[in-house]
Amino acid sequence: MSSQILLNFFLAFIWMFMTVSFTPAGFAIGFLVGLAIIILMRRFFSGRLYLTRVWAVLSLTALFLKELVLSSVQVLRIVLRPRMDIKPAIFEMETELKRDWEITLLASLITLTPGTLVVGISDDQTRLYIHALDFKDIDEAVSSIKNTFERAISEVSRP
Amino acid sequence: MLNSSREERFSIVTTIVNILIIVLISTGVLFSAVTALGLVRLPDVYTRTHAASKSSTLGVLAILFGTFLHFWLVEGIFNTQMVIAIVFLFITAPVGGHLIGRAAYISGIKVADETVRDDLGPAVKKKKKRFASKKPADE
């Protein structure tokens, strides 16, 4: 994946040397031509085409922003409610993610989702302990986290 | 835009830009105020961390973004330090919330009375017991 990006930059520089145009516009044209070459030769690379992963990262960022706005609005509604009848709880959730950075990212995303906060990670890194602000249904919360965040992160890290 | 001419100050683009800036900054102020109110009203340290790690992040982000837009579109200064600050806050705020919650739990701060379920308690207790039983053997 990173070797593809490096190769694309290299092709862009070769294009700049071939056309003797050392400008940002020349670099951009060379980058696009190199991208076309990489797309044509994608069966020689072992991983996916790097554009799909860039797209996955972008959609993960959009998800992050959306969840941040939703969670802030939920906290606002809870705080401004006249009678505070919240039921906090700490529940555990199994995760299938393996690598360190994936789990860190998942923990940050959960912390910014509506009403959940990670307070602990087990030593073997298979379970997350999540503090829920308003506890209604654990299964629903777990399945929503699994379906949105875990899938988005594994989409990024898939080879 | 502001410096050019008197008529241009009231063009449609300037109005839209100003409305956007006003909406962003007032949203930020609203969320910061809600954070402060939440810190007073919520029952225990964990629920307070919820308010402090979410609403305040969004509040400060909205204020910074509004300021960035003001200086970019009205004053004509493209200040990239604002963008860097937004990204840094985005990365560090959830980690801070997690560390505060974890440190509070491990040092034995009780959860609020309303709490209905606690899965972390048995896990921490088991780990502490294992640690205590293992320690004399190591020495």
Side-chain angles (χ1 to χ4, degrees):
Chain A
M1 137 94 178
S2 46
S3 68
Q4 290 181 29
I5 294 178
L6 210 60
L7 181 64
N8 203 344
F9 272 93
F10 185 66
L11 288 174
F13 277 110
I14 287 189
W15 178 268
M16 280 159 71
F17 274 82
M18 272 165 55
T19 56
V20 204
S21 63
F22 296 98
T23 56
F27 180 81
I29 294 172
F31 198 85
L32 288 179
V33 171
L35 189 60
I37 291 172
I38 286 176
I39 288 173
L40 285 177
M41 297 192 155
R42 65 182 174 279
R43 75 185 182 90
F44 294 105
F45 300 110
S46 55
R48 300 182 280 166
L49 193 68
Y50 78 89
L51 276 188
T52 57
R53 192 171 299 193
V54 171
W55 177 250
V57 169
L58 285 181
S59 58
L60 188 62
T61 313
L63 187 69
F64 207 76
L65 279 173
K66 194 192 92 186
E67 294 295 336
L68 179 65
V69 172
L70 284 182
S71 68
S72 301
V73 170
Q74 198 213 21
V75 168
L76 183 139
R77 281 174 56 200
I78 287 175
V79 166
L80 294 184
R81 205 182 289 163
R83 245 188 82 250
M84 198 163 284
D85 50 352
I86 53 172
K87 290 199 181 348
I90 298 179
F91 62 94
E92 65 175 18
M93 192 196 90
E94 302 253 337
T95 178
E96 287 144 22
L97 299 176
K98 291 280 180 290
R99 275 171 283 183
D100 283 353
W101 67 266
E102 292 170 343
I103 293 172
T104 312
L105 197 59
L106 182 67
S108 328
L109 284 169
I110 289 172
T111 300
L112 291 179
T113 35
T116 49
L117 176 81
V118 178
V119 288
I121 298 171
S122 68
D123 285 342
D124 52 354
Q125 297 189 344
T126 55
R127 287 186 299 276
L128 299 175
Y129 295 95
I130 301 172
H131 182 273
L133 184 55
D134 202 0
F135 167 82
K136 292 218 179 63
D137 193 355
I138 287 181
D139 293 332
E140 194 191 334
V142 167
S143 69
S144 77
I145 289 171
K146 270 202 182 306
N147 286 333
T148 54
F149 292 133
E150 263 198 15
R151 189 178 294 169
I153 291 175
S154 57
E155 192 70 24
V156 172
S157 64
R158 194 159 57 88
Chain B
M1 244 179 251
L2 196 71
N3 303 334
S4 50
S5 68
R6 198 106 187 120
E7 292 82 50
E8 251 183 59
R9 282 182 71 171
F10 299 101
S11 72
I12 295 176
V13 178
T14 329
T15 317
I16 292 174
V17 162
N18 279 333
I19 287 175
L20 190 64
I21 291 166
I22 290 170
V23 165
L24 273 173
I25 292 186
S26 26
T27 322
V29 169
L30 177 71
F31 276 114
S32 304
V34 163
T35 305
L37 194 62
L39 288 182
V40 176
R41 287 198 67 196
L42 288 169
D44 66 346
V45 64
Y46 308 102
T47 46
R48 282 179 191 154
T49 315
H50 277 278
S53 68
K54 287 170 204 151
S55 302
S56 72
T57 313
L58 189 68
V60 178
L61 286 191
I63 291 176
L64 279 178
F65 193 59
T67 319
F68 169 72
L69 280 186
H70 174 79
F71 275 99
W72 181 25
L73 298 173
V74 179
E75 312 272 338
I77 303 166
F78 191 83
N79 193 348
T80 45
Q81 288 169 340
M82 294 284 190
V83 185
I84 293 285
I86 288 174
V87 174
F88 279 0
L89 265 178
F90 230 141
I91 298 171
T92 53
V95 179
H98 164 66
L99 281 181
I100 291 170
R102 184 173 180 274
Y105 203 96
I106 289 180
S107 56
I109 304 222
K110 296 275 184 296
V111 291
D113 295 336
E114 294 96 339
T115 309
V116 288
R117 182 172 160 182
D118 192 351
D119 286 346
L120 183 57
V124 169
K125 210 174 282 172
K126 208 163 73 186
K127 193 180 164 191
K128 273 186 178 163
K129 198 184 283 174
R130 206 175 55 218
F131 192 67
S133 66
K134 207 190 280 178
K135 215 171 186 184
D138 287 346
E139 282 168 359

